[in-house]
Amino acid sequence: MKQLSIFLLFYILGLTGVYAQGSKVAIVIHGGAGVILKKNMTAEKEQAYREKLQEAMDTGYALLEQGKSSEEAVIAAIKVMEDSPLFNAGKGAVLTNNGHCELDASIMDGKTLNAGAVAGVKTIKSPIEAARAVMHESKHVMLSGSGAETFAKGEGLEMVDPEYFITERRKKQLEKAKMQEDARGNLGNPMGNNNFKFGTVGAVALDKDGNIVAATSTGGMTNKRFGRIGDSPIIGAGTYANNNTCGISSTGHGEYFIRLAIAHHISAQMEYAGKSLEEAAEDVIQNKLTDLGGTGGIIGLDKDGNIVMEFNSPGMFRGYRKSNGEQEVSIYR
Ligand code: ASP
């Protein structure tokens, strides 16, 4: 009888999620960095971004509060943003030079250092789900193009017509970018270009068991050519997680993030130089990235639930929520 009552107590606590209280849980998300200025934003547009960021953050946070894993939380948060045409991921992703969407995504588990990624996919509705399937169901870390699509289909993931991702807004953005590019397709200094918004999405969460998972999903950069792949699906550049240090998701001019191995760079400064998350992120973004001429930012959290949202662009869509009641959604510097 006594055993039965104890079992029932834990069962009820489990259902209500009470056991997750008291342990630290946290989630931090981004919806891309870039030249995001209040003067270029209408009140309605700003409201729409804020609401979607809040929805993504709350969706992930609710799972953490129920005692679910950080993996489930980041996937759920990212899927809200992939499904929204506001962000450059999933539906509403930016267009390549020939007018298609080619999507990249990655995820990393800070406990096991397992990781999964897909690059250059055109028909998988949720690239982040595909990255998770690569992590769990394949012996590889990164799958690309049609191979990744065959794999995703085999895993029973939802496949869509490539047209599903394309929006009028991104068509106009591509036209504008083509007018501004030079003969080699370069868009010049992003900071001086009002068109330069990145819009990738990412999330990092800490669950009640102290596990950190980081994930990122994107359409890459407007007008990209030749099968270009950015930092977002690259473990160590766009995404990194290690329970002993931190979890990071990046957004910005991917070529610079790859060259600096930005996400791992922050973790390495914590591990080898004993820096705090805040110190490491500030150095990597404000010094290393800025000195190389790159633009963008990162979000991250450490094992104690400390949050960082560091960027060198005028804005970054971002938000975080913690079990101590702190929360924020912001856009501008
Ligand atoms: N980092 C992404 C890329 O270079 C772009 C972004 O952050 O929006 O593909």
mmCIF file of all heavy atoms in Angstrom, residues 125-165:
data_model
loop_
_atom_site.group_PDB
_atom_site.id
_atom_site.type_symbol
_atom_site.label_atom_id
_atom_site.label_comp_id
_atom_site.label_asym_id
_atom_site.label_seq_id
_atom_site.Cartn_x
_atom_site.Cartn_y
_atom_site.Cartn_z
ATOM 1 N N LYS A 125 10.109 19.327 -44.871
ATOM 2 C CA LYS A 125 9.352 20.442 -44.278
ATOM 3 C C LYS A 125 10.071 21.029 -43.072
ATOM 4 O O LYS A 125 10.171 22.236 -42.921
ATOM 5 C CB LYS A 125 7.952 19.980 -43.878
ATOM 6 C CG LYS A 125 7.122 21.157 -43.389
ATOM 7 C CD LYS A 125 5.719 20.775 -43.022
ATOM 8 C CE LYS A 125 4.967 22.035 -42.608
ATOM 9 N NZ LYS A 125 3.882 21.738 -41.696
ATOM 10 N N SER A 126 10.567 20.167 -42.197
ATOM 11 C CA SER A 126 11.276 20.664 -41.022
ATOM 12 C C SER A 126 12.723 20.180 -41.029
ATOM 13 O O SER A 126 13.031 19.081 -40.564
ATOM 14 C CB SER A 126 10.588 20.198 -39.742
ATOM 15 O OG SER A 126 11.407 20.525 -38.636
ATOM 16 N N PRO A 127 13.645 21.004 -41.537
ATOM 17 C CA PRO A 127 15.056 20.595 -41.574
ATOM 18 C C PRO A 127 15.622 20.254 -40.185
ATOM 19 O O PRO A 127 16.463 19.371 -40.069
ATOM 20 C CB PRO A 127 15.759 21.822 -42.171
ATOM 21 C CG PRO A 127 14.693 22.469 -43.007
ATOM 22 C CD PRO A 127 13.418 22.285 -42.246
ATOM 23 N N ILE A 128 15.106 20.905 -39.143
ATOM 24 C CA ILE A 128 15.655 20.602 -37.807
ATOM 25 C C ILE A 128 15.240 19.203 -37.364
ATOM 26 O O ILE A 128 16.015 18.504 -36.695
ATOM 27 C CB ILE A 128 15.276 21.690 -36.767
ATOM 28 C CG1 ILE A 128 16.214 21.602 -35.560
ATOM 29 C CG2 ILE A 128 13.819 21.610 -36.324
ATOM 30 C CD1 ILE A 128 17.657 21.832 -35.828
ATOM 31 N N GLU A 129 14.045 18.766 -37.771
ATOM 32 C CA GLU A 129 13.633 17.379 -37.469
ATOM 33 C C GLU A 129 14.562 16.403 -38.193
ATOM 34 O O GLU A 129 14.894 15.347 -37.663
ATOM 35 C CB GLU A 129 12.190 17.131 -37.939
ATOM 36 C CG GLU A 129 11.118 17.677 -37.040
ATOM 37 C CD GLU A 129 10.842 16.807 -35.806
ATOM 38 O OE1 GLU A 129 11.665 15.928 -35.471
ATOM 39 O OE2 GLU A 129 9.791 17.024 -35.182
ATOM 40 N N ALA A 130 14.941 16.778 -39.412
ATOM 41 C CA ALA A 130 15.826 15.902 -40.184
ATOM 42 C C ALA A 130 17.203 15.827 -39.518
ATOM 43 O O ALA A 130 17.803 14.749 -39.436
ATOM 44 C CB ALA A 130 15.943 16.406 -41.620
ATOM 45 N N ALA A 131 17.683 16.976 -39.016
ATOM 46 C CA ALA A 131 18.985 16.982 -38.327
ATOM 47 C C ALA A 131 18.925 16.070 -37.100
ATOM 48 O O ALA A 131 19.851 15.297 -36.831
ATOM 49 C CB ALA A 131 19.357 18.406 -37.934
ATOM 50 N N ARG A 132 17.801 16.143 -36.380
ATOM 51 C CA ARG A 132 17.661 15.275 -35.198
ATOM 52 C C ARG A 132 17.649 13.802 -35.609
ATOM 53 O O ARG A 132 18.245 12.962 -34.941
ATOM 54 C CB ARG A 132 16.373 15.605 -34.446
ATOM 55 C CG ARG A 132 16.049 14.529 -33.423
ATOM 56 C CD ARG A 132 15.118 14.931 -32.340
ATOM 57 N NE ARG A 132 13.756 15.153 -32.763
ATOM 58 C CZ ARG A 132 12.762 15.373 -31.893
ATOM 59 N NH1 ARG A 132 13.008 15.408 -30.607
ATOM 60 N NH2 ARG A 132 11.554 15.591 -32.315
ATOM 61 N N ALA A 133 16.961 13.492 -36.725
ATOM 62 C CA ALA A 133 16.924 12.100 -37.179
ATOM 63 C C ALA A 133 18.326 11.624 -37.567
ATOM 64 O O ALA A 133 18.702 10.479 -37.284
ATOM 65 C CB ALA A 133 15.956 11.968 -38.355
ATOM 66 N N VAL A 134 19.122 12.500 -38.182
ATOM 67 C CA VAL A 134 20.505 12.126 -38.533
ATOM 68 C C VAL A 134 21.277 11.794 -37.253
ATOM 69 O O VAL A 134 22.009 10.803 -37.177
ATOM 70 C CB VAL A 134 21.217 13.257 -39.313
ATOM 71 C CG1 VAL A 134 22.692 12.929 -39.507
ATOM 72 C CG2 VAL A 134 20.545 13.494 -40.668
ATOM 73 N N MET A 135 21.055 12.609 -36.215
ATOM 74 C CA MET A 135 21.765 12.407 -34.946
ATOM 75 C C MET A 135 21.411 11.049 -34.323
ATOM 76 O O MET A 135 22.283 10.322 -33.874
ATOM 77 C CB MET A 135 21.445 13.547 -33.980
ATOM 78 C CG MET A 135 22.025 13.371 -32.589
ATOM 79 S SD MET A 135 22.000 14.890 -31.618
ATOM 80 C CE MET A 135 20.324 14.876 -30.994
ATOM 81 N N HIS A 136 20.130 10.711 -34.330
ATOM 82 C CA HIS A 136 19.710 9.492 -33.630
ATOM 83 C C HIS A 136 19.678 8.245 -34.500
ATOM 84 O O HIS A 136 19.909 7.156 -34.012
ATOM 85 C CB HIS A 136 18.305 9.677 -33.038
ATOM 86 C CG HIS A 136 18.277 10.618 -31.886
ATOM 87 N ND1 HIS A 136 19.021 10.429 -30.753
ATOM 88 C CD2 HIS A 136 17.589 11.775 -31.687
ATOM 89 C CE1 HIS A 136 18.798 11.412 -29.895
ATOM 90 N NE2 HIS A 136 17.937 12.256 -30.447
ATOM 91 N N GLU A 137 19.308 8.417 -35.757
ATOM 92 C CA GLU A 137 19.005 7.234 -36.573
ATOM 93 C C GLU A 137 20.046 6.904 -37.634
ATOM 94 O O GLU A 137 19.854 5.964 -38.399
ATOM 95 C CB GLU A 137 17.638 7.389 -37.265
ATOM 96 C CG GLU A 137 16.486 7.806 -36.365
ATOM 97 C CD GLU A 137 16.256 6.858 -35.189
ATOM 98 O OE1 GLU A 137 16.639 5.666 -35.292
ATOM 99 O OE2 GLU A 137 15.732 7.320 -34.158
ATOM 100 N N SER A 138 21.118 7.690 -37.725
ATOM 101 C CA SER A 138 22.154 7.335 -38.705
ATOM 102 C C SER A 138 23.487 7.279 -37.971
ATOM 103 O O SER A 138 23.601 7.770 -36.855
ATOM 104 C CB SER A 138 22.216 8.381 -39.821
ATOM 105 O OG SER A 138 23.057 9.458 -39.447
ATOM 106 N N LYS A 139 24.504 6.720 -38.640
ATOM 107 C CA LYS A 139 25.808 6.678 -37.984
ATOM 108 C C LYS A 139 26.653 7.867 -38.427
ATOM 109 O O LYS A 139 27.834 7.924 -38.163
ATOM 110 C CB LYS A 139 26.501 5.351 -38.265
ATOM 111 C CG LYS A 139 26.636 5.044 -39.730
ATOM 112 C CD LYS A 139 27.257 3.686 -39.959
ATOM 113 C CE LYS A 139 27.403 3.498 -41.463
ATOM 114 N NZ LYS A 139 27.632 2.229 -41.959
ATOM 115 N N HIS A 140 26.006 8.823 -39.116
ATOM 116 C CA HIS A 140 26.748 9.975 -39.635
ATOM 117 C C HIS A 140 26.396 11.243 -38.865
ATOM 118 O O HIS A 140 25.468 11.257 -38.073
ATOM 119 C CB HIS A 140 26.419 10.169 -41.117
ATOM 120 C CG HIS A 140 26.645 8.936 -41.925
ATOM 121 N ND1 HIS A 140 27.886 8.388 -42.098
ATOM 122 C CD2 HIS A 140 25.776 8.125 -42.580
ATOM 123 C CE1 HIS A 140 27.785 7.292 -42.830
ATOM 124 N NE2 HIS A 140 26.504 7.104 -43.136
ATOM 125 N N VAL A 141 27.115 12.299 -39.143
ATOM 126 C CA VAL A 141 26.801 13.587 -38.514
ATOM 127 C C VAL A 141 26.118 14.521 -39.515
ATOM 128 O O VAL A 141 25.179 15.220 -39.165
ATOM 129 C CB VAL A 141 28.068 14.255 -37.932
ATOM 130 C CG1 VAL A 141 27.794 15.689 -37.516
ATOM 131 C CG2 VAL A 141 28.570 13.473 -36.720
ATOM 132 N N MET A 142 26.558 14.531 -40.758
ATOM 133 C CA MET A 142 25.972 15.474 -41.722
ATOM 134 C C MET A 142 25.612 14.791 -43.029
ATOM 135 O O MET A 142 26.444 14.110 -43.630
ATOM 136 C CB MET A 142 26.953 16.619 -42.020
ATOM 137 C CG MET A 142 26.281 17.753 -42.792
ATOM 138 S SD MET A 142 27.447 18.905 -43.501
ATOM 139 C CE MET A 142 27.916 19.838 -42.083
ATOM 140 N N LEU A 143 24.368 14.987 -43.459
ATOM 141 C CA LEU A 143 23.923 14.469 -44.758
ATOM 142 C C LEU A 143 23.525 15.663 -45.624
ATOM 143 O O LEU A 143 22.987 16.649 -45.105
ATOM 144 C CB LEU A 143 22.719 13.538 -44.590
ATOM 145 C CG LEU A 143 22.913 12.297 -43.703
ATOM 146 C CD1 LEU A 143 21.629 11.459 -43.680
ATOM 147 C CD2 LEU A 143 24.079 11.428 -44.171
ATOM 148 N N SER A 144 23.769 15.550 -46.938
ATOM 149 C CA SER A 144 23.461 16.704 -47.784
ATOM 150 C C SER A 144 22.570 16.327 -48.968
ATOM 151 O O SER A 144 22.496 15.159 -49.372
ATOM 152 C CB SER A 144 24.759 17.329 -48.305
ATOM 153 O OG SER A 144 25.347 16.458 -49.246
ATOM 154 N N GLY A 145 21.908 17.359 -49.517
ATOM 155 C CA GLY A 145 21.164 17.258 -50.768
ATOM 156 C C GLY A 145 20.196 16.091 -50.853
ATOM 157 O O GLY A 145 19.486 15.781 -49.898
ATOM 158 N N SER A 146 20.186 15.447 -52.041
ATOM 159 C CA SER A 146 19.182 14.410 -52.289
ATOM 160 C C SER A 146 19.364 13.219 -51.352
ATOM 161 O O SER A 146 18.390 12.546 -50.993
ATOM 162 C CB SER A 146 19.224 13.969 -53.754
ATOM 163 O OG SER A 146 20.513 13.490 -54.035
ATOM 164 N N GLY A 147 20.579 12.943 -50.935
ATOM 165 C CA GLY A 147 20.819 11.835 -49.995
ATOM 166 C C GLY A 147 20.113 12.095 -48.676
ATOM 167 O O GLY A 147 19.454 11.209 -48.112
ATOM 168 N N ALA A 148 20.224 13.327 -48.199
ATOM 169 C CA ALA A 148 19.572 13.699 -46.939
ATOM 170 C C ALA A 148 18.053 13.565 -47.088
ATOM 171 O O ALA A 148 17.350 13.139 -46.156
ATOM 172 C CB ALA A 148 19.945 15.129 -46.562
ATOM 173 N N GLU A 149 17.559 13.906 -48.286
ATOM 174 C CA GLU A 149 16.111 13.836 -48.519
ATOM 175 C C GLU A 149 15.623 12.386 -48.558
ATOM 176 O O GLU A 149 14.569 12.061 -47.994
ATOM 177 C CB GLU A 149 15.759 14.585 -49.806
ATOM 178 C CG GLU A 149 15.886 16.080 -49.570
ATOM 179 C CD GLU A 149 15.827 16.935 -50.816
ATOM 180 O OE1 GLU A 149 15.932 16.388 -51.928
ATOM 181 O OE2 GLU A 149 15.679 18.150 -50.654
ATOM 182 N N THR A 150 16.397 11.521 -49.194
ATOM 183 C CA THR A 150 16.039 10.095 -49.224
ATOM 184 C C THR A 150 16.005 9.556 -47.798
ATOM 185 O O THR A 150 15.093 8.827 -47.397
ATOM 186 C CB THR A 150 17.077 9.302 -50.061
ATOM 187 O OG1 THR A 150 17.147 9.901 -51.344
ATOM 188 C CG2 THR A 150 16.716 7.838 -50.181
ATOM 189 N N PHE A 151 17.010 9.930 -47.017
ATOM 190 C CA PHE A 151 17.076 9.484 -45.616
ATOM 191 C C PHE A 151 15.848 9.978 -44.840
ATOM 192 O O PHE A 151 15.187 9.211 -44.134
ATOM 193 C CB PHE A 151 18.373 10.006 -44.982
ATOM 194 C CG PHE A 151 18.409 9.855 -43.489
ATOM 195 C CD1 PHE A 151 18.718 8.631 -42.898
ATOM 196 C CD2 PHE A 151 18.117 10.935 -42.657
ATOM 197 C CE1 PHE A 151 18.724 8.492 -41.512
ATOM 198 C CE2 PHE A 151 18.120 10.804 -41.274
ATOM 199 C CZ PHE A 151 18.430 9.577 -40.699
ATOM 200 N N ALA A 152 15.526 11.277 -44.979
ATOM 201 C CA ALA A 152 14.411 11.867 -44.222
ATOM 202 C C ALA A 152 13.091 11.187 -44.575
ATOM 203 O O ALA A 152 12.270 10.889 -43.699
ATOM 204 C CB ALA A 152 14.332 13.365 -44.500
ATOM 205 N N LYS A 153 12.920 10.926 -45.854
ATOM 206 C CA LYS A 153 11.700 10.238 -46.317
ATOM 207 C C LYS A 153 11.614 8.863 -45.666
ATOM 208 O O LYS A 153 10.565 8.459 -45.155
ATOM 209 C CB LYS A 153 11.777 10.096 -47.849
ATOM 210 C CG LYS A 153 10.452 10.172 -48.530
ATOM 211 C CD LYS A 153 10.687 10.256 -50.022
ATOM 212 C CE LYS A 153 9.380 10.197 -50.760
ATOM 213 N NZ LYS A 153 9.591 10.310 -52.190
ATOM 214 N N GLY A 154 12.732 8.171 -45.668
ATOM 215 C CA GLY A 154 12.798 6.834 -45.060
ATOM 216 C C GLY A 154 12.478 6.858 -43.577
ATOM 217 O O GLY A 154 12.011 5.871 -43.006
ATOM 218 N N GLU A 155 12.772 7.982 -42.946
ATOM 219 C CA GLU A 155 12.487 8.123 -41.511
ATOM 220 C C GLU A 155 11.049 8.556 -41.265
ATOM 221 O O GLU A 155 10.648 8.789 -40.126
ATOM 222 C CB GLU A 155 13.437 9.148 -40.882
ATOM 223 C CG GLU A 155 14.881 8.673 -40.773
ATOM 224 C CD GLU A 155 15.008 7.399 -39.945
ATOM 225 O OE1 GLU A 155 14.379 7.308 -38.883
ATOM 226 O OE2 GLU A 155 15.717 6.481 -40.397
ATOM 227 N N GLY A 156 10.293 8.731 -42.352
ATOM 228 C CA GLY A 156 8.879 9.091 -42.207
ATOM 229 C C GLY A 156 8.646 10.567 -41.935
ATOM 230 O O GLY A 156 7.564 10.957 -41.484
ATOM 231 N N LEU A 157 9.646 11.409 -42.213
ATOM 232 C CA LEU A 157 9.454 12.852 -41.989
ATOM 233 C C LEU A 157 8.572 13.438 -43.087
ATOM 234 O O LEU A 157 8.510 12.927 -44.205
ATOM 235 C CB LEU A 157 10.797 13.580 -41.956
ATOM 236 C CG LEU A 157 11.746 13.174 -40.831
ATOM 237 C CD1 LEU A 157 12.937 14.104 -40.791
ATOM 238 C CD2 LEU A 157 11.045 13.193 -39.468
ATOM 239 N N GLU A 158 7.916 14.562 -42.768
ATOM 240 C CA GLU A 158 7.012 15.181 -43.741
ATOM 241 C C GLU A 158 7.803 15.837 -44.875
ATOM 242 O O GLU A 158 8.682 16.671 -44.637
ATOM 243 C CB GLU A 158 6.130 16.230 -43.023
ATOM 244 C CG GLU A 158 5.044 16.743 -43.938
ATOM 245 C CD GLU A 158 4.050 17.645 -43.227
ATOM 246 O OE1 GLU A 158 4.070 17.745 -41.979
ATOM 247 O OE2 GLU A 158 3.254 18.274 -43.947
ATOM 248 N N MET A 159 7.463 15.456 -46.108
ATOM 249 C CA MET A 159 8.130 16.015 -47.288
ATOM 250 C C MET A 159 7.148 16.970 -47.977
ATOM 251 O O MET A 159 5.936 16.751 -47.948
ATOM 252 C CB MET A 159 8.538 14.897 -48.255
ATOM 253 C CG MET A 159 9.333 13.764 -47.631
ATOM 254 S SD MET A 159 10.882 14.257 -46.828
ATOM 255 C CE MET A 159 11.926 14.503 -48.254
ATOM 256 N N VAL A 160 7.663 18.031 -48.592
ATOM 257 C CA VAL A 160 6.786 19.002 -49.247
ATOM 258 C C VAL A 160 7.328 19.346 -50.633
ATOM 259 O O VAL A 160 8.499 19.094 -50.937
ATOM 260 C CB VAL A 160 6.674 20.316 -48.413
ATOM 261 C CG1 VAL A 160 5.891 20.085 -47.130
ATOM 262 C CG2 VAL A 160 8.048 20.911 -48.125
ATOM 263 N N ASP A 161 6.477 19.964 -51.440
ATOM 264 C CA ASP A 161 6.915 20.475 -52.730
ATOM 265 C C ASP A 161 7.846 21.669 -52.451
ATOM 266 O O ASP A 161 7.557 22.457 -51.544
ATOM 267 C CB ASP A 161 5.666 20.947 -53.492
ATOM 268 C CG ASP A 161 6.006 21.338 -54.902
ATOM 269 O OD1 ASP A 161 6.510 22.468 -55.095
ATOM 270 O OD2 ASP A 161 5.786 20.513 -55.796
ATOM 271 N N PRO A 162 8.941 21.825 -53.219
ATOM 272 C CA PRO A 162 9.870 22.945 -52.966
ATOM 273 C C PRO A 162 9.170 24.319 -52.938
ATOM 274 O O PRO A 162 9.632 25.238 -52.264
ATOM 275 C CB PRO A 162 10.866 22.861 -54.116
ATOM 276 C CG PRO A 162 10.788 21.449 -54.587
ATOM 277 C CD PRO A 162 9.413 20.946 -54.298
ATOM 278 N N GLU A 163 8.056 24.421 -53.659
ATOM 279 C CA GLU A 163 7.302 25.693 -53.698
ATOM 280 C C GLU A 163 6.767 26.102 -52.324
ATOM 281 O O GLU A 163 6.520 27.277 -52.070
ATOM 282 C CB GLU A 163 6.106 25.565 -54.660
ATOM 283 C CG GLU A 163 6.473 25.645 -56.125
ATOM 284 C CD GLU A 163 7.023 27.016 -56.519
ATOM 285 O OE1 GLU A 163 6.397 28.017 -56.132
ATOM 286 O OE2 GLU A 163 8.071 27.070 -57.183
ATOM 287 N N TYR A 164 6.559 25.117 -51.456
ATOM 288 C CA TYR A 164 6.006 25.382 -50.120
ATOM 289 C C TYR A 164 6.808 26.473 -49.385
ATOM 290 O O TYR A 164 6.247 27.283 -48.662
ATOM 291 C CB TYR A 164 5.990 24.082 -49.295
ATOM 292 C CG TYR A 164 5.892 24.309 -47.805
ATOM 293 C CD1 TYR A 164 4.662 24.584 -47.197
ATOM 294 C CD2 TYR A 164 7.038 24.293 -46.995
ATOM 295 C CE1 TYR A 164 4.576 24.808 -45.825
ATOM 296 C CE2 TYR A 164 6.953 24.515 -45.631
ATOM 297 C CZ TYR A 164 5.726 24.779 -45.048
ATOM 298 O OH TYR A 164 5.647 25.023 -43.700
ATOM 299 N N PHE A 165 8.125 26.476 -49.589
ATOM 300 C CA PHE A 165 8.985 27.381 -48.816
ATOM 301 C C PHE A 165 9.002 28.815 -49.363
ATOM 302 O O PHE A 165 9.376 29.750 -48.674
ATOM 303 C CB PHE A 165 10.437 26.859 -48.812
ATOM 304 C CG PHE A 165 10.570 25.494 -48.190
ATOM 305 C CD1 PHE A 165 10.809 24.367 -48.969
ATOM 306 C CD2 PHE A 165 10.438 25.331 -46.823
ATOM 307 C CE1 PHE A 165 10.925 23.110 -48.388
ATOM 308 C CE2 PHE A 165 10.549 24.085 -46.221
ATOM 309 C CZ PHE A 165 10.793 22.965 -47.016
#
